[in-house]
Amino acid sequence: MEQKRIGFFGGLNFVTLITALIASAYGLSLVYSATFSNLSDGKIISSDVRSMLVSVTGGVIIAVIVSNIDYEIISKLWPLIAAGCVGLMIFTFFFGVAPSARQDAKSWLDLKIFYFQPSELLKVGFIISFSYHLDMVKDKINRIKSIIPLVIHGAIPILLVLATGDAGSALIFMIIFIGMLFFAKVNIGYFVAGICAIVVGFATAWKLNIINGLQRERITALFYPEQYQDTLYQQTNAKIAMGSGGWFGQGYLNGSMTQGGAVPENQNDMILSVAGEEFGYIGTLAVISILLILVLRVLFTGLRARDNVGYLMCSGIAVMLFAQILINIGMELSLLPCIGITLPLFSAGGSSSLCIYLALGIELSVYRYSKSQRKSLFYTT
């Protein structure tokens, strides 16, 4: 039996790639609008738009290249990938910088073209290494001797990210960890025990004032909004902006609050407020729909993967995307504290878009090589 060769673009999952490109194009238009009123004379685009263009272009190229590499080879390189990602995080701990908008977290590296956040790359590295780990113990995954190393594996990136002061990304890692365990069919009893441990740990950290300062204030503000109006200023104005757009919005580049700068950093965490104000509920629904299609497409690819590693990789990518979507929208609606989580492919952020395309490249690889194997069954020597 001989597998038919496919070209560089042959077998590419165009649905995933085109959906991601539509999201990026829409996101670029929103970021352009969010930064339009602040453009200085003679300047065509802002630095946020420029870095996003660079990262999307580079990300698409990387995604297509990665799609041509068998994901099984990628998974077996997990020790090198994990070591590189951890090393970069340690480097960031000592030499990281904090942009003006996030002075509370020195978790970026200044690459001059744009700020790069190594934790974004660590997410992809963790999904790769954890998928391989889960596959290694799949036949005895519910034994305590398997669960303990898995928990340690999951704790490493969470602690590394917390060390740089980025609690928001640490939460995303925790959700990816729990989600991948779920898709690996870990016994429900472990989840109950884990959730209890998280609740007790959070209550203890709160009682001992380990969670303090701005983080504590943002959580408290959700329950006592009238006492923390300054803390909720960004989120409150984001909701007003979204609501003021009505069904069809005030028109592109015509949003009064967007162009008036009433929502701080709305090109980042609050990008949905721009869509809501200028394109209305229809525009907001379009954003959510595009992202959900992308998540479902990744999940569907995982379900049709040729093996367990491919299934777990796609599951991890889908959980990562869904977690960021859910938390970002929760922040913008004041249902969750503002913790600096961007909306995938829509918010400004070079490292986020670049690493999401890298992750999608792995999904494209799973699709390509699983489809190729299924097709090869119809070819004989």
Side-chain angles (χ1 to χ4, degrees), residues 221-268:
L222 297 179
F223 300 96
Y224 303 98
E226 67 284 350
Q227 298 178 24
Y228 292 90
Q229 294 182 18
D230 290 342
T231 303
L232 292 173
Y233 175 81
Q234 183 185 33
Q235 290 164 286
T236 300
N237 280 11
K239 288 190 295 183
I240 293 172
M242 279 190 280
S244 67
W247 279 103
F248 301 103
Q250 298 175 15
Y252 188 55
L253 301 180
N254 289 318
S256 56
M257 297 184 74
T258 295
Q259 301 308 321
V263 185
E265 300 298 323
N266 62 344
Q267 76 274 20
N268 293 319

Side-chain angles (χ1 to χ4, degrees), residues 147-166:
I147 292 295
I148 292 175
L150 288 171
V151 171
I152 294 172
H153 191 156
I156 291 172
I158 294 172
L159 294 175
L160 280 172
V161 172
L162 281 174
T164 65
D166 190 356

Side-chain angles (χ1 to χ4, degrees), residues 102 117 119-124 126-127 130 154 157-159 161-162 166-181 315-331 336-337 339-344 352 356:
R102 290 291 308 276
Q117 192 171 13
S119 62
E120 297 291 342
L121 185 61
L122 183 63
K123 289 175 189 174
V124 183
F126 173 69
I127 289 170
F130 201 53
I158 294 172
L159 294 175
V161 172
L162 281 174
D166 190 356
S169 292
L171 177 60
I172 296 296
F173 274 102
M174 185 178 294
I175 296 173
I176 294 172
F177 168 69
I178 294 171
M180 290 185 72
L181 288 177
S315 299
I317 294 167
V319 171
M320 176 186 75
L321 292 172
F322 185 75
Q324 290 188 207
I325 295 165
L326 190 66
I327 292 175
N328 179 273
I329 294 175
M331 285 174 6
L336 295 172
I339 53 177
I341 299 299
T342 57
L343 192 63
S352 176
I356 286 172

